[in-house]
Amino acid sequence: DFLFFWGAVFLVTTTLVALLKKENKELTPTKEETKGITDTYRLLFSIIKMPAVLTFCLLILTAKVGFSAADAVTGLKLVEEGVPKEHLALLAVPMVPLQIILPLIISKYTAGPQPLNTFYKAMPFRLLLGLEFAFLVWWTPTVKHEGGFPVYYYVVVLLSYALHQITLYSMYVAIMAFNAKVSDPLIGGTYMTLLNTVSNLGGNWPSTVALWLVDPLTVKECAGAQEQSCGTTVAAEV
């Protein structure tokens, strides 16, 4: 029902924009950045060949490796330890106001000449939160009782997620501000798209690898079969 409702809202609003929005023909049309797809890719290739851009792309492609496992796996591990999915989903609700307010606050610190300073300062705290998340997963089974989990447990989880959001948005807004600052105004759209795409990729590939490595790196013990190994999926099923 939720997806159906918002799907209908998207369809209606985009259709209304297509039908009702008109271009302002009185304004002088600006020169197009590129004339076609081939020109766009040629331009992107010339941008990415620049030494500074290449170095920056390598930085943002590898910067999130350190906390990829904590970001991608923590929620799944908490569910595995018995935390109800609906309770974790409910904890996301208080995060919404925080997610709206944080960019407004952080943008004041990224508006200066060195927006990446915020990114660098937030990184060690986000790495430490990865250790805190690992502790949270380890602690979860010890506080579980027959009735579920105590209120103080959910308060700790909520505070952990809130601190994580602060570090996440500090890094995210800083990268966006830096991308906007260094992009050539003449080809701003193409430049920003390239840098933002690489930035998104830098967050997605480590999470994918982390999820893929969870199973082979998980230590398992076979109850009632000391001689049997449970290292692989097939062996665990046996």
Side-chain angles (χ1 to χ4, degrees), residues 8-50:
V9 169
F10 273 117
L11 282 171
V12 171
T13 50
T14 49
T15 304
L16 288 173
V17 169
L19 294 174
L20 303 177
K21 183 76 178 91
K22 304 295 180 188
E23 295 293 341
N24 190 347
K25 294 179 180 178
E26 294 177 6
L27 294 173
T28 307
T30 55
K31 185 184 176 184
E32 289 187 12
E33 293 175 0
T34 51
K35 293 178 181 178
I37 295 173
T38 309
D39 288 344
T40 303
Y41 279 99
R42 193 179 290 119
L43 181 61
L44 284 170
F45 187 66
S46 64
I47 292 170
I48 209 163
K49 280 198 302 182
M50 296 164 65

Short mmCIF file of all heavy atoms in Angstrom, two decimals, residues 8-50:
data_model
loop_
_atom_site.label_atom_id
_atom_site.label_comp_id
_atom_site.label_asym_id
_atom_site.label_seq_id
_atom_site.Cartn_x
_atom_site.Cartn_y
_atom_site.Cartn_z
N ALA A 8 1.75 6.23 -7.16
CA ALA A 8 0.68 7.05 -7.77
C ALA A 8 1.02 8.54 -7.67
O ALA A 8 0.81 9.30 -8.63
CB ALA A 8 -0.65 6.75 -7.07
N VAL A 9 1.55 8.95 -6.51
CA VAL A 9 1.93 10.36 -6.33
C VAL A 9 2.99 10.78 -7.35
O VAL A 9 2.90 11.84 -7.98
CB VAL A 9 2.44 10.62 -4.89
CG1 VAL A 9 3.08 12.00 -4.76
CG2 VAL A 9 1.29 10.48 -3.89
N PHE A 10 4.01 9.92 -7.54
CA PHE A 10 5.07 10.21 -8.52
C PHE A 10 4.50 10.31 -9.93
O PHE A 10 4.85 11.23 -10.69
CB PHE A 10 6.15 9.11 -8.49
CG PHE A 10 7.22 9.36 -7.46
CD1 PHE A 10 7.39 8.48 -6.40
CD2 PHE A 10 8.06 10.45 -7.56
CE1 PHE A 10 8.37 8.70 -5.45
CE2 PHE A 10 9.04 10.68 -6.61
CZ PHE A 10 9.20 9.81 -5.56
N LEU A 11 3.63 9.38 -10.29
CA LEU A 11 3.04 9.40 -11.63
C LEU A 11 2.23 10.67 -11.87
O LEU A 11 2.35 11.32 -12.92
CB LEU A 11 2.14 8.17 -11.83
CG LEU A 11 2.85 6.86 -12.14
CD1 LEU A 11 1.86 5.70 -12.09
CD2 LEU A 11 3.50 6.91 -13.52
N VAL A 12 1.41 11.04 -10.88
CA VAL A 12 0.55 12.23 -11.03
C VAL A 12 1.39 13.50 -11.11
O VAL A 12 1.19 14.35 -11.99
CB VAL A 12 -0.46 12.31 -9.85
CG1 VAL A 12 -1.20 13.64 -9.87
CG2 VAL A 12 -1.46 11.16 -9.95
N THR A 13 2.35 13.65 -10.19
CA THR A 13 3.13 14.89 -10.17
C THR A 13 4.00 15.05 -11.42
O THR A 13 4.06 16.14 -12.00
CB THR A 13 4.05 14.94 -8.92
OG1 THR A 13 4.77 13.72 -8.83
CG2 THR A 13 3.24 15.14 -7.66
N THR A 14 4.64 13.97 -11.86
CA THR A 14 5.49 14.09 -13.05
C THR A 14 4.65 14.34 -14.31
O THR A 14 5.07 15.08 -15.20
CB THR A 14 6.34 12.81 -13.26
OG1 THR A 14 5.50 11.67 -13.16
CG2 THR A 14 7.44 12.71 -12.23
N THR A 15 3.46 13.74 -14.36
CA THR A 15 2.56 13.99 -15.49
C THR A 15 2.10 15.44 -15.52
O THR A 15 2.06 16.08 -16.58
CB THR A 15 1.33 13.05 -15.42
OG1 THR A 15 1.78 11.70 -15.36
CG2 THR A 15 0.44 13.23 -16.65
N LEU A 16 1.78 15.98 -14.34
CA LEU A 16 1.36 17.38 -14.25
C LEU A 16 2.49 18.32 -14.66
O LEU A 16 2.25 19.32 -15.34
CB LEU A 16 0.90 17.71 -12.82
CG LEU A 16 -0.45 17.11 -12.40
CD1 LEU A 16 -0.71 17.37 -10.92
CD2 LEU A 16 -1.60 17.69 -13.24
N VAL A 17 3.72 18.00 -14.26
CA VAL A 17 4.87 18.82 -14.66
C VAL A 17 5.02 18.80 -16.19
O VAL A 17 5.23 19.83 -16.83
CB VAL A 17 6.17 18.32 -13.98
CG1 VAL A 17 7.40 18.98 -14.59
CG2 VAL A 17 6.12 18.62 -12.49
N ALA A 18 4.90 17.59 -16.77
CA ALA A 18 5.03 17.45 -18.23
C ALA A 18 3.95 18.23 -18.98
O ALA A 18 4.21 18.84 -20.02
CB ALA A 18 4.96 15.97 -18.61
N LEU A 19 2.73 18.25 -18.44
CA LEU A 19 1.62 18.90 -19.14
C LEU A 19 1.55 20.41 -18.89
O LEU A 19 1.22 21.18 -19.79
CB LEU A 19 0.28 18.26 -18.71
CG LEU A 19 0.07 16.79 -19.10
CD1 LEU A 19 -1.22 16.26 -18.49
CD2 LEU A 19 0.04 16.64 -20.63
N LEU A 20 1.84 20.84 -17.67
CA LEU A 20 1.59 22.22 -17.27
C LEU A 20 2.82 23.13 -17.32
O LEU A 20 2.69 24.34 -17.48
CB LEU A 20 1.00 22.27 -15.86
CG LEU A 20 -0.31 21.46 -15.66
CD1 LEU A 20 -0.75 21.54 -14.20
CD2 LEU A 20 -1.42 22.00 -16.57
N LYS A 21 4.01 22.56 -17.16
CA LYS A 21 5.22 23.40 -17.13
C LYS A 21 5.63 23.80 -18.53
O LYS A 21 5.78 22.95 -19.41
CB LYS A 21 6.36 22.65 -16.44
CG LYS A 21 7.64 23.46 -16.30
CD LYS A 21 7.53 24.48 -15.19
CE LYS A 21 8.83 25.25 -15.03
NZ LYS A 21 8.84 26.48 -15.85
N LYS A 22 5.80 25.09 -18.74
CA LYS A 22 6.21 25.60 -20.05
C LYS A 22 7.57 26.28 -19.94
O LYS A 22 7.89 26.89 -18.92
CB LYS A 22 5.18 26.61 -20.58
CG LYS A 22 3.76 26.06 -20.67
CD LYS A 22 3.64 24.94 -21.67
CE LYS A 22 2.20 24.40 -21.74
NZ LYS A 22 2.10 23.19 -22.56
N GLU A 23 8.34 26.19 -21.00
CA GLU A 23 9.65 26.86 -21.03
C GLU A 23 9.45 28.36 -21.18
O GLU A 23 8.53 28.82 -21.86
CB GLU A 23 10.49 26.34 -22.20
CG GLU A 23 10.85 24.86 -22.09
CD GLU A 23 11.79 24.57 -20.94
OE1 GLU A 23 12.45 25.49 -20.45
OE2 GLU A 23 11.85 23.39 -20.54
N ASN A 24 10.33 29.13 -20.55
CA ASN A 24 10.28 30.59 -20.68
C ASN A 24 11.04 30.98 -21.94
O ASN A 24 12.26 30.97 -21.97
CB ASN A 24 10.90 31.23 -19.43
CG ASN A 24 10.67 32.73 -19.39
OD1 ASN A 24 10.26 33.33 -20.39
ND2 ASN A 24 10.92 33.33 -18.25
N LYS A 25 10.30 31.31 -23.00
CA LYS A 25 10.92 31.58 -24.30
C LYS A 25 11.51 32.99 -24.39
O LYS A 25 12.22 33.30 -25.33
CB LYS A 25 9.89 31.38 -25.41
CG LYS A 25 9.45 29.93 -25.53
CD LYS A 25 8.41 29.74 -26.62
CE LYS A 25 7.99 28.28 -26.70
NZ LYS A 25 6.94 28.07 -27.71
N GLU A 26 11.21 33.84 -23.41
CA GLU A 26 11.73 35.21 -23.44
C GLU A 26 13.22 35.24 -23.09
O GLU A 26 13.94 36.13 -23.52
CB GLU A 26 10.96 36.08 -22.44
CG GLU A 26 9.49 36.27 -22.84
CD GLU A 26 8.73 37.07 -21.80
OE1 GLU A 26 9.38 37.56 -20.85
OE2 GLU A 26 7.50 37.20 -21.94
N LEU A 27 13.67 34.27 -22.31
CA LEU A 27 15.08 34.23 -21.92
C LEU A 27 15.93 33.77 -23.09
O LEU A 27 15.52 32.92 -23.88
CB LEU A 27 15.29 33.28 -20.74
CG LEU A 27 14.64 33.70 -19.41
CD1 LEU A 27 14.80 32.60 -18.38
CD2 LEU A 27 15.26 34.98 -18.88
N THR A 28 17.14 34.32 -23.19
CA THR A 28 18.07 33.90 -24.23
C THR A 28 18.59 32.51 -23.89
O THR A 28 19.11 32.30 -22.78
CB THR A 28 19.26 34.89 -24.32
OG1 THR A 28 18.74 36.19 -24.46
CG2 THR A 28 20.15 34.54 -25.49
N PRO A 29 18.44 31.54 -24.76
CA PRO A 29 18.91 30.19 -24.45
C PRO A 29 20.43 30.16 -24.28
O PRO A 29 21.16 30.75 -25.07
CB PRO A 29 18.48 29.37 -25.67
CG PRO A 29 18.30 30.36 -26.77
CD PRO A 29 17.90 31.65 -26.13
N THR A 30 20.85 29.51 -23.23
CA THR A 30 22.30 29.40 -22.98
C THR A 30 22.90 28.35 -23.90
O THR A 30 22.22 27.43 -24.35
CB THR A 30 22.57 28.99 -21.51
OG1 THR A 30 21.85 27.78 -21.25
CG2 THR A 30 22.10 30.05 -20.54
N LYS A 31 24.19 28.50 -24.12
CA LYS A 31 24.87 27.55 -24.98
C LYS A 31 24.91 26.17 -24.32
O LYS A 31 25.21 26.04 -23.15
CB LYS A 31 26.31 28.03 -25.21
CG LYS A 31 27.08 27.16 -26.20
CD LYS A 31 28.52 27.64 -26.33
CE LYS A 31 29.30 26.71 -27.24
NZ LYS A 31 30.71 27.07 -27.32
N GLU A 32 24.56 25.15 -25.07
CA GLU A 32 24.55 23.80 -24.53
C GLU A 32 25.98 23.34 -24.25
O GLU A 32 26.91 23.68 -24.97
CB GLU A 32 23.88 22.83 -25.52
CG GLU A 32 22.38 23.04 -25.63
CD GLU A 32 21.72 21.96 -26.48
OE1 GLU A 32 22.38 20.95 -26.78
OE2 GLU A 32 20.57 22.16 -26.85
N GLU A 33 26.10 22.54 -23.18
CA GLU A 33 27.42 22.04 -22.81
C GLU A 33 27.97 21.12 -23.89
O GLU A 33 29.12 21.21 -24.27
CB GLU A 33 27.32 21.27 -21.49
CG GLU A 33 26.97 22.14 -20.30
CD GLU A 33 26.75 21.31 -19.05
OE1 GLU A 33 26.88 20.08 -19.13
OE2 GLU A 33 26.47 21.88 -18.00
N THR A 34 27.12 20.23 -24.34
CA THR A 34 27.53 19.28 -25.38
C THR A 34 26.39 19.12 -26.39
O THR A 34 25.23 19.42 -26.09
CB THR A 34 27.85 17.90 -24.76
OG1 THR A 34 26.75 17.52 -23.92
CG2 THR A 34 29.11 17.93 -23.93
N LYS A 35 26.72 18.64 -27.58
CA LYS A 35 25.71 18.53 -28.63
C LYS A 35 25.09 17.14 -28.72
O LYS A 35 24.10 16.94 -29.40
CB LYS A 35 26.35 18.89 -29.97
CG LYS A 35 26.75 20.37 -30.04
CD LYS A 35 27.41 20.69 -31.36
CE LYS A 35 27.82 22.16 -31.41
NZ LYS A 35 28.50 22.50 -32.67
N GLY A 36 25.67 16.15 -28.05
CA GLY A 36 25.12 14.80 -28.12
C GLY A 36 25.81 13.86 -27.16
O GLY A 36 26.69 14.26 -26.39
N ILE A 37 25.42 12.60 -27.20
CA ILE A 37 25.96 11.59 -26.29
C ILE A 37 27.46 11.40 -26.51
O ILE A 37 28.24 11.32 -25.55
CB ILE A 37 25.22 10.25 -26.47
CG1 ILE A 37 23.75 10.42 -26.05
CG2 ILE A 37 25.87 9.14 -25.65
CD1 ILE A 37 22.87 9.23 -26.33
N THR A 38 27.87 11.35 -27.77
CA THR A 38 29.30 11.14 -28.08
C THR A 38 30.15 12.26 -27.52
O THR A 38 31.20 12.02 -26.91
CB THR A 38 29.50 11.05 -29.61
OG1 THR A 38 28.57 10.11 -30.15
CG2 THR A 38 30.93 10.61 -29.94
N ASP A 39 29.68 13.51 -27.72
CA ASP A 39 30.41 14.67 -27.20
C ASP A 39 30.50 14.62 -25.67
O ASP A 39 31.53 14.98 -25.09
CB ASP A 39 29.72 15.97 -27.62
CG ASP A 39 29.90 16.27 -29.10
OD1 ASP A 39 30.80 15.65 -29.70
OD2 ASP A 39 29.16 17.09 -29.64
N THR A 40 29.40 14.19 -25.04
CA THR A 40 29.37 14.13 -23.57
C THR A 40 30.41 13.16 -23.04
O THR A 40 31.17 13.48 -22.12
CB THR A 40 27.97 13.69 -23.08
OG1 THR A 40 27.00 14.60 -23.61
CG2 THR A 40 27.90 13.69 -21.56
N TYR A 41 30.49 11.96 -23.64
CA TYR A 41 31.46 10.96 -23.17
C TYR A 41 32.89 11.37 -23.50
O TYR A 41 33.81 11.09 -22.73
CB TYR A 41 31.14 9.59 -23.77
CG TYR A 41 30.05 8.87 -23.01
CD1 TYR A 41 28.74 8.87 -23.47
CD2 TYR A 41 30.33 8.24 -21.80
CE1 TYR A 41 27.72 8.23 -22.75
CE2 TYR A 41 29.34 7.60 -21.08
CZ TYR A 41 28.04 7.60 -21.56
OH TYR A 41 27.04 6.98 -20.85
N ARG A 42 33.07 12.06 -24.62
CA ARG A 42 34.39 12.56 -24.96
C ARG A 42 34.84 13.60 -23.92
O ARG A 42 35.99 13.62 -23.47
CB ARG A 42 34.38 13.17 -26.37
CG ARG A 42 35.77 13.45 -26.92
CD ARG A 42 35.71 14.02 -28.33
NE ARG A 42 35.27 13.03 -29.31
CZ ARG A 42 34.17 13.15 -30.06
NH1 ARG A 42 33.39 14.21 -29.93
NH2 ARG A 42 33.84 12.22 -30.93
N LEU A 43 33.88 14.45 -23.52
CA LEU A 43 34.16 15.48 -22.51
C LEU A 43 34.46 14.84 -21.15
O LEU A 43 35.41 15.23 -20.46
CB LEU A 43 32.95 16.42 -22.39
CG LEU A 43 33.05 17.58 -21.39
CD1 LEU A 43 34.20 18.51 -21.76
CD2 LEU A 43 31.74 18.35 -21.36
N LEU A 44 33.66 13.83 -20.77
CA LEU A 44 33.89 13.12 -19.50
C LEU A 44 35.27 12.48 -19.48
O LEU A 44 35.97 12.52 -18.46
CB LEU A 44 32.82 12.04 -19.30
CG LEU A 44 31.44 12.51 -18.87
CD1 LEU A 44 30.45 11.36 -18.95
CD2 LEU A 44 31.46 13.07 -17.46
N PHE A 45 35.66 11.89 -20.61
CA PHE A 45 36.97 11.23 -20.70
C PHE A 45 38.10 12.25 -20.55
O PHE A 45 39.10 11.99 -19.88
CB PHE A 45 37.09 10.50 -22.04
CG PHE A 45 38.33 9.65 -22.15
CD1 PHE A 45 38.50 8.53 -21.34
CD2 PHE A 45 39.33 9.98 -23.05
CE1 PHE A 45 39.65 7.76 -21.43
CE2 PHE A 45 40.49 9.22 -23.14
CZ PHE A 45 40.64 8.09 -22.32
N SER A 46 37.93 13.43 -21.14
CA SER A 46 38.95 14.47 -21.03
C SER A 46 39.05 15.01 -19.60
O SER A 46 40.13 15.38 -19.12
CB SER A 46 38.67 15.62 -22.00
OG SER A 46 37.45 16.27 -21.67
N ILE A 47 37.90 15.04 -18.89
CA ILE A 47 37.90 15.50 -17.49
C ILE A 47 38.61 14.50 -16.60
O ILE A 47 39.48 14.86 -15.79
CB ILE A 47 36.44 15.72 -16.97
CG1 ILE A 47 35.78 16.90 -17.69
CG2 ILE A 47 36.43 15.96 -15.46
CD1 ILE A 47 34.28 17.02 -17.43
N ILE A 48 38.26 13.22 -16.76
CA ILE A 48 38.80 12.20 -15.86
C ILE A 48 40.29 11.93 -16.09
O ILE A 48 40.98 11.38 -15.23
CB ILE A 48 37.97 10.89 -16.00
CG1 ILE A 48 38.00 10.12 -14.67
CG2 ILE A 48 38.46 10.01 -17.14
CD1 ILE A 48 36.95 9.07 -14.53
N LYS A 49 40.82 12.35 -17.24
CA LYS A 49 42.26 12.20 -17.51
C LYS A 49 43.10 13.21 -16.75
O LYS A 49 44.31 13.03 -16.61
CB LYS A 49 42.52 12.35 -19.03
CG LYS A 49 42.21 11.09 -19.83
CD LYS A 49 42.87 11.12 -21.21
CE LYS A 49 42.43 12.34 -22.02
NZ LYS A 49 43.03 12.33 -23.37
N MET A 50 42.46 14.27 -16.24
CA MET A 50 43.21 15.30 -15.50
C MET A 50 43.77 14.69 -14.21
O MET A 50 43.04 14.00 -13.49
CB MET A 50 42.30 16.48 -15.17
CG MET A 50 41.79 17.22 -16.40
SD MET A 50 40.39 18.28 -16.03
CE MET A 50 41.16 19.47 -14.92
#
